[in-house]
Amino acid sequence: MLNTQTRYAIDPATAKTLDTDQLRDNFHVDGLFADGEIKLIYSHYDRLILGSAVPGAGTLTLDKVAETGTATFLERREMAVLNVGGTGTVTAGGKVYTLEKGEVVYIGMGAGPVAFAGAGRFYILSAPAHRTCPTRLIKLSDARRVEMGSAEAANERVILQFLHPAVAESCQLLMGYTQFAEGSVWNTMPAHTHDRRMEAYLYFDMPSDRRVFHIMGEPTQTRHIVMANEEAVISPPWSVHAGAGTGSYTFCWAMAGDNVDFTDMDMVPMEALR
């Protein structure tokens, strides 16, 4: 079963007029992981698609999606899949890839239908591509680890980079996730923007009563969206993307746009935030 929604681009002048419900309608994504379904959110920011597949006892196949206007989903797209559940398989290009929790498979443009099976809870990311890069399984041991922050600043964390030029080649997708040490709750602060790329966050590995206050908006017009476990948020290129939780958590970050330079960001001084 395939369920697809479209989210249109909102300019910063409009965004600062939105109330809580309107902000959530445009940028917040809930109800992603549903048994027996593939759910996709088609964003008009850099045409990024984010979504999920939860095969349960059966097999789910992602093939044609009307919103892309192509014969098959990956005809002009690349794709990354992160498993946030139990062991599962992703089949693409005639090969079967077994993913443990926390592992990623990158699927290059033109790979054809993609099938999901097993106990996995698969988070899907896809962006338009202009060339084919090799499909490959990226295990935890393959990821690039970057340790940052401190306990004193409540932001001690490890950034695991999967789709990154130093790890795995992609056309325009950058992707990985960040894990926090116990007692640390702040992410991406001081905040930044990168007008060359949009971003999406998935918050996961959180107890049901834990929340993250995701901060978005222009630096001088910040807003917040309250996030629960396995909920995602779309971050426009003009927006900061930071947050703090009621306890530690993990979030998957993904970017699409003009470049694959992870360090390409415009820092926002703390005193400029409002």
Side-chain angles (χ1 to χ4, degrees):
M1 180 178 178
L2 175 64
N3 183 326
T4 307
Q5 298 178 15
T6 298
R7 299 290 181 92
Y8 296 100
I10 302 293
D11 66 275
T14 300
K16 68 183 181 183
T17 71
L18 304 181
D19 65 18
T20 297
D21 289 338
Q22 292 168 325
L23 279 173
R24 293 175 73 86
D25 287 344
N26 282 283
F27 302 108
H28 175 253
V29 180
D30 62 359
L32 257 183
F33 295 86
D35 287 347
E37 291 188 40
I38 295 175
K39 291 192 171 187
L40 302 177
I41 305 296
Y42 185 107
S43 170
H44 277 225
Y45 294 112
D46 288 295
R47 303 288 167 170
L48 183 82
I49 292 177
L50 62 93
S52 63
V54 185
T59 298
L60 295 172
T61 301
L62 179 58
D63 190 3
K64 184 172 182 177
V65 176
E67 284 75 6
T68 67
T70 53
T72 63
F73 183 66
L74 291 179
E75 182 177 321
R76 295 177 60 85
R77 284 182 164 270
E78 61 184 347
M79 180 172 166
V81 180
L82 165 65
N83 184 11
V84 300
T87 303
T89 63
V90 175
T91 302
K95 295 184 178 180
V96 179
Y97 301 89
T98 299
L99 276 71
E100 305 293 338
K101 182 177 180 179
E103 296 182 341
V104 172
V105 62
Y106 170 80
I107 305 171
M109 182 181 72
V114 180
F116 304 88
R121 296 170 71 80
F122 299 107
Y123 180 52
I124 296 168
L125 294 154
S126 175
H130 60 266
R131 62 188 177 95
T132 299
C133 299
T135 298
R136 60 167 290 192
L137 175 66
I138 311 166
K139 303 182 77 64
L140 276 171
S141 57
D142 299 324
R144 183 171 183 256
R145 293 175 60 89
V146 180
E147 297 184 6
M148 296 187 70
S150 66
E152 292 77 14
N155 66 354
E156 186 179 359
R157 63 201 188 275
V158 175
I159 301 173
L160 294 166
Q161 298 171 339
F162 287 81
L163 293 191
H164 182 283
V167 180
E169 184 184 13
S170 65
C171 184
Q172 69 156 317
L173 266 179
L174 281 176
M175 177 265 192
Y177 55 86
T178 301
Q179 296 175 317
F180 286 83
E182 287 297 327
S184 287
V185 297
W186 274 104
N187 73 66
T188 327
M189 187 64 73
H192 64 265
T193 61
H194 31 67
D195 203 48
R196 281 74 57 195
R197 296 176 296 179
M198 63 82 66
E199 193 157 358
Y201 278 19
L202 172 75
Y203 292 97
F204 64 103
D205 277 353
M206 295 162 52
S208 61
D209 61 346
R210 188 165 295 175
R211 295 294 183 270
V212 174
F213 288 73
H214 179 87
I215 300 168
M216 66 162 295
E218 293 178 288
T220 57
Q221 287 284 341
T222 58
R223 305 290 188 268
H224 73 268
I225 297 177
V226 180
M227 308 292 299
N229 188 47
E230 294 186 347
E231 293 182 349
V233 64
I234 298 167
S235 180
W238 46 262
S239 176
V240 297
H241 34 286
T246 58
S248 59
Y249 53 94
T250 302
F251 71 93
C252 175
W253 44 267
M255 292 176 269
D258 270 337
N259 63 43
V260 290
D261 180 1
F262 182 82
T263 62
D264 177 18
M265 56 188 73
D266 303 314
M267 302 305 298
V268 178
M270 290 295 290
E271 59 270 21
L273 291 173
R274 296 289 185 272

